[in-house]
Amino acid sequence: MDKLRVNIGKLDLKNPVMTASGTFGYGKEYSDFIDLSRIGGIFVKGTTIRERQGNDYPRMAETPSGMLNAVGLQNKGIDYFVSNIYPDIKDFDTNVIVNVSGSTIEDYVECTEKLIELDKIPAIELNISCPNVKEGGMAFGVCAESAAEVTKAVRKVWDRTLIVKLSPNVTDVTEIAKAVEGEGADSLSLINTLLGMAININSQRPVLSTVTGGLSGPCVKPVALRMVWQTYNAVKIPLIGMGGISCWQDAIEFILAGSSAIQIGTHNFIDPTISVKVVDGIAEYLDKNNISSVRELVGALKI
Ligand SMILES: Cc1cc2nc3c(=O)[nH]c(=O)nc-3n(C[C@H](O)[C@H](O)[C@H](O)COP(=O)(O)O)c2cc1C
């Protein structure tokens, strides 16, 4: 089905539908529900140089049309990933992309240096936009200078596809996008979660142990779409859009706004087969509208 094929840097995707970091485990957790070879790629859980326990509970809360999370990048660290997880997932018939997080530039670089040894990882996504960790994380993604600095440092040690994930918790996303593009990123993914909070009026306490957390799901879709569209008009590198996608129609909206590919996050928790349904829905839409390639739709919004 070449009409669905897209390229992001050197990354070749059989279709533009991928799953978002932190919402799809390492892929194998979902292999009983879907044929993983049907999707364009899997962004695995946020990985850090050292093991992280994550934040205290409660760290999830439901909201109207979405959820708040404050998981805080719980993972067993890069060495555990290399020796215990990579062997199980390296032969998936889809792209396995590692989401790299850190507190310092050295953390990001060290993690990347370990990943370059793994020949079945065609791309990494730098998470410079996590709102749930005390130091680092979002701090890099809300300032153009530090976003550029971390991109530049990782670019020096990573010659495969480099995707940088942007934070929506900024005044002007295009300023950060241009700074990151200027340091050689191949692609930008957006958006990470929006900073939010919830309060329990009976205890008169915050619902999350961290007080604030990251908002995701359908409620963030209009914000995400707006940011994709603004960024599409500001940079030349391909975008990977996400934020509240829960059906194929949402995916088409993101593509029209300027996404070359998309990621599905929170909706995997509601319907673990959603990614394949979105692939099929996009293919049918192309057929019905006599469009020969999904690439023709990217940024085709008529204004
Ligand atoms: C429980 C949970 C964990 C997440 N963990 C990560 C992570 O480790 N790294 C990252 O870059 N984004 C993480 N995200 C953000 C998602 O990848 C995505 O950017 C965001 O949720 C918006 O998409 P959605 O509305 O489709 O979920 C997480 C989101 C959720 C809900």
Side-chain angles (χ1 to χ4, degrees):
M1 284 219 287
D2 265 1
K3 63 182 176 191
L4 289 182
R5 194 165 283 279
V6 292
N7 290 293
I8 301 283
K10 291 180 220 157
L11 187 66
D12 181 36
L13 305 177
K14 64 181 91 169
N15 64 61
V17 181
M18 300 183 278
T19 53
S21 179
T23 67
F24 206 71
Y26 294 99
K28 54 188 177 170
E29 296 86 341
Y30 281 77
S31 58
D32 284 345
F33 297 102
I34 63 162
D35 173 0
L36 297 174
S37 73
R38 296 277 332 274
I39 58 178
I42 297 166
F43 286 74
V44 305
K45 229 165 144 28
T47 303
T48 50
I49 190 77
R50 274 170 290 280
E51 178 170 4
R52 291 183 64 104
Q53 305 296 332
N55 293 317
D56 289 342
Y57 291 85
R59 52 191 197 180
M60 298 261 191
E62 259 193 68
T63 70
S65 263
M67 63 177 281
L68 283 165
N69 95 81
V71 172
L73 300 174
Q74 180 177 355
N75 78 103
K76 288 191 181 294
I78 187 69
D79 290 336
Y80 184 89
F81 174 82
V82 170
S83 39
N84 296 74
I85 296 169
Y86 177 69
D88 281 351
I89 64 175
K90 70 182 176 44
D91 294 321
F92 286 166
D93 181 15
T94 188
N95 292 293
V96 174
I97 299 161
V98 178
N99 178 274
V100 176
S101 285
S103 303
T104 63
I105 291 187
E106 293 70 36
D107 286 355
Y108 283 94
V109 170
E110 252 182 82
C111 226
T112 306
E113 283 171 336
K114 299 206 179 211
L115 288 165
I116 200 86
E117 302 297 323
L118 311 180
D119 49 327
K120 299 279 183 64
I121 303 295
I124 56 173
E125 180 184 57
L126 294 191
N127 176 11
I128 58 165
S129 48
C130 182
N132 300 322
V133 287
K134 283 201 187 71
E135 69 297 320
M138 192 167 77
F140 284 106
V142 294
C143 155
E145 262 169 36
S146 53
E149 217 182 320
V150 68
T151 307
K152 184 179 182 180
V154 172
R155 181 76 284 178
K156 278 193 191 139
V157 295
W158 183 259
D159 58 0
R160 299 176 212 157
T161 302
L162 176 59
I163 302 161
V164 179
K165 186 165 181 178
L166 303 183
S167 171
N169 301 305
V170 295
T171 311
D172 181 3
V173 71
T174 64
E175 191 196 329
I176 319 269
K178 283 190 271 193
V180 168
E181 179 184 46
E183 293 301 343
D186 296 301
S187 169
L188 303 170
S189 57
L190 67 164
I191 59 173
N192 208 315
T193 52
L194 274 152
L195 198 59
M197 72 186 277
I199 294 173
N200 178 330
I201 59 163
N202 295 317
S203 63
Q204 301 183 346
R205 287 176 180 280
V207 173
L208 299 174
S209 69
T210 47
V211 184
T212 60
L215 183 66
S216 63
C219 54
V220 307
K221 195 187 95 181
V223 177
L225 264 180
R226 182 263 298 173
M227 289 195 155
V228 165
W229 177 72
Q230 287 178 322
T231 307
Y232 179 73
N233 289 307
V235 300
K236 295 194 175 62
I237 51 179
L239 307 182
I240 305 174
M242 82 198 88
I245 296 178
S246 57
C247 59
W248 65 264
Q249 291 91 335
D250 291 343
I252 300 285
E253 284 188 58
F254 273 83
I255 294 168
L256 287 169
S259 305
S260 294
I262 59 104
Q263 294 179 31
I264 299 172
T266 303
H267 207 77
N268 291 303
F269 301 140
I270 294 165
D271 176 3
T273 69
I274 182 62
S275 48
V276 172
K277 289 177 185 159
V278 171
V279 174
D280 292 340
I282 296 173
E284 266 176 52
Y285 177 86
L286 296 179
D287 285 346
K288 273 197 191 132
N289 292 283
N290 285 321
I291 300 167
S292 57
S293 162
V294 69
R295 296 183 298 276
E296 287 172 33
L297 275 187
V298 177
L301 182 69
K302 296 172 185 156
I303 293 192

